Amino acid sequence: MTTKTHTPQNTQHTYTYTHHPPSPQENRNKPKPTILFLHGFPSTSYDWRHQITYLSSLGYGVIAPDLLGYGGTSKPTDLAAYKTKSMAAEIITILDAEEIEKVHAVGHDTGCTLLSRLADYFPERLLSCVFLDVPYMRPGERFDLDIVNKVTRDILGFERFGYVGFFAGEGSGVLLDRFADSFFTLFYPHSPSLWKSHLCPAGAIEKWLLSDRRAPLAPYITEEEFKTHQKLLVGNHDSALNWYRALVSNINLEDEEEAQITPSLSMPALLICPKKLELEMPGLEEGMRAVCVGDLVIKRVSTEGHWVQLEAREEVNQILGEFFERVRV
């Protein structure tokens, strides 16, 4: 396993990424493909460690970058740098630098937004798409947080994405750094139901942080993992939050309208979700079926939390391995 850096041409951004080339395989004419991992918020490539170990042991290659604003990768302050079209193109340059033509691509959380645009702008580079907990995000749709909050109140009975307004606001990164331990226990809680009261409603996360509240941590989080995560994220929350500011500011809308993208996935796709809970918006699976032109597999793991690659690591690893084996290369 090697940590590398890459600076795409015509940018001042440098990406840090983990690279493990495919292992030679007996009775195979060519090595197994490479898998590209795209993390979400508040994460880094570190969150894929269980999948990297498992899939590389099966002979797959792995590329897991720290995405823009995270970890060892550049953290530009210009919001325009976080356009998904340009970030997708920058990820492609990493594949080009490693002379990798096509990959299986796996996203989680906001990484699924970037994965969606990779599938839209560079479908010829993807053997398959895997979405963890968050589905394909349709292009060309204006994001209005007030409307989203109203719709979720009407459907679920509570605001589901009220925290987005805080994340996109000025000074939010400073507050997350200041109350980093409190934030971590809220985002990786023992009980996912905590989010209904203390994350989802508008204004709830601010109250949680300013009270410096703590919740029992999820059992899959070890002390080492906690310390490593905080070392990677504390001081860097603000740059990572630019992904949310880009969403609320609709900076991708012009690119997506100009490209006239048809919402569709032409390659095989896999959606992995936790158990159905009251936090899940209706129509999740149906929305994926509506955009998949190629084969679609939907799997649910036995756990309830958002961080399926951590909490249900063995289940997720097995699902991924079986899915990649069935996709013909």
Side-chain angles (χ1 to χ4, degrees):
M1 203 78 65
T2 304
T3 299
K4 297 184 177 182
T5 60
H6 172 71
T7 303
Q9 289 186 348
N10 303 319
T11 77
Q12 294 180 331
H13 305 155
T14 297
Y15 280 78
T16 298
Y17 62 98
T18 294
H19 180 223
H20 182 89
S23 302
Q25 298 288 300
E26 294 182 8
N27 304 320
R28 289 179 69 103
N29 294 328
K30 57 182 179 180
K32 288 186 177 181
T34 292
I35 302 165
L36 170 68
F37 288 102
L38 306 169
H39 67 79
F41 176 88
S43 305
T44 63
S45 56
Y46 177 67
D47 270 13
W48 297 116
R49 58 197 177 278
H50 306 300
Q51 288 67 49
I52 292 173
T53 299
Y54 176 75
L55 291 165
S56 61
S57 75
L58 298 182
Y60 289 98
V62 169
I63 286 187
D66 289 340
L67 297 179
L68 202 66
Y70 291 91
T73 292
S74 295
K75 302 169 183 64
T77 56
D78 181 8
L79 193 59
Y82 296 86
K83 286 188 174 184
T84 48
K85 182 178 182 180
S86 59
M87 290 193 297
E90 289 172 355
I91 294 298
I92 292 297
T93 68
I94 297 176
L95 303 185
D96 291 342
E98 297 293 347
E99 299 182 341
I100 299 171
E101 182 181 356
K102 296 185 177 186
V103 293
H104 296 291
V106 182
H108 175 253
D109 190 72
T110 52
C112 291
T113 302
L114 183 56
L115 174 56
S116 300
R117 297 295 84 83
L118 276 170
D120 291 336
Y121 291 118
F122 302 98
E124 72 283 356
R125 304 300 295 268
L126 302 185
L127 295 167
S128 70
C129 290
V130 180
F131 298 84
L132 300 190
D133 199 49
V134 175
Y136 170 85
M137 306 301 289
R138 289 174 173 266
E141 295 185 352
R142 179 175 294 277
F143 182 83
D144 187 315
L145 184 57
D146 290 336
I147 292 177
V148 169
N149 283 335
K150 181 182 184 304
V151 169
T152 57
R153 280 197 304 269
D154 292 343
I155 295 175
L156 298 177
F158 59 92
E159 294 170 344
R160 176 64 181 86
F161 301 101
Y163 61 89
V164 171
F166 166 71
F167 282 170
E170 186 176 349
S172 52
V174 173
L175 205 59
L176 294 187
D177 287 341
R178 180 182 171 191
F179 298 103
D181 290 357
S182 173
F183 175 55
F184 188 90
T185 68
L186 176 61
F187 246 59
Y188 296 84
H190 188 278
S191 173
S193 62
L194 188 72
W195 285 10
K196 182 179 176 181
S197 301
H198 298 292
L199 178 67
C200 296
I205 186 173
E206 294 97 311
K207 293 178 181 177
W208 177 276
L209 295 173
L210 291 172
S211 300
D212 199 17
R213 292 189 62 174
R214 311 294 170 94
L217 275 174
Y220 57 86
I221 297 292
T222 66
E223 183 67 19
E224 179 185 358
E225 289 169 329
F226 169 73
K227 290 180 179 179
T228 301
H229 181 282
Q230 298 301 69
K231 181 180 179 181
L232 292 169
L233 268 296
V234 176
N236 296 325
H237 282 114
D238 198 63
S239 58
L241 288 170
N242 280 323
W243 287 63
Y244 288 94
R245 297 177 183 124
L247 170 67
V248 171
S249 300
N250 287 290
I251 66 172
N252 296 299
L253 195 58
E254 184 177 352
D255 286 339
E256 293 167 6
E257 289 178 341
E258 183 178 318
Q260 297 182 329
I261 302 168
T262 299
S264 67
L265 294 172
S266 56
M267 66 293 295
L270 169 64
L271 174 67
I272 305 177
C273 291
K275 288 181 179 178
K276 279 192 177 182
L277 295 176
E278 56 187 348
L279 292 173
E280 182 178 309
M281 286 292 290
L284 174 68
E285 297 182 12
E286 292 78 4
M288 282 294 293
R289 293 189 181 98
V291 298
C292 284
V293 178
D295 293 336
L296 171 64
V297 176
I298 298 176
K299 295 285 187 178
R300 288 190 181 266
V301 295
S302 62
T303 56
E304 299 179 343
H306 174 65
W307 310 95
V308 291
Q309 75 273 39
L310 300 176
E311 185 176 16
R313 64 192 71 167
E314 291 86 3
E315 293 177 72
V316 168
N317 288 348
Q318 184 175 353
I319 292 169
L320 290 175
E322 292 175 353
F323 176 72
F324 296 143
E325 281 299 314
R326 63 176 283 182
V327 176
R328 294 186 177 181
V329 178

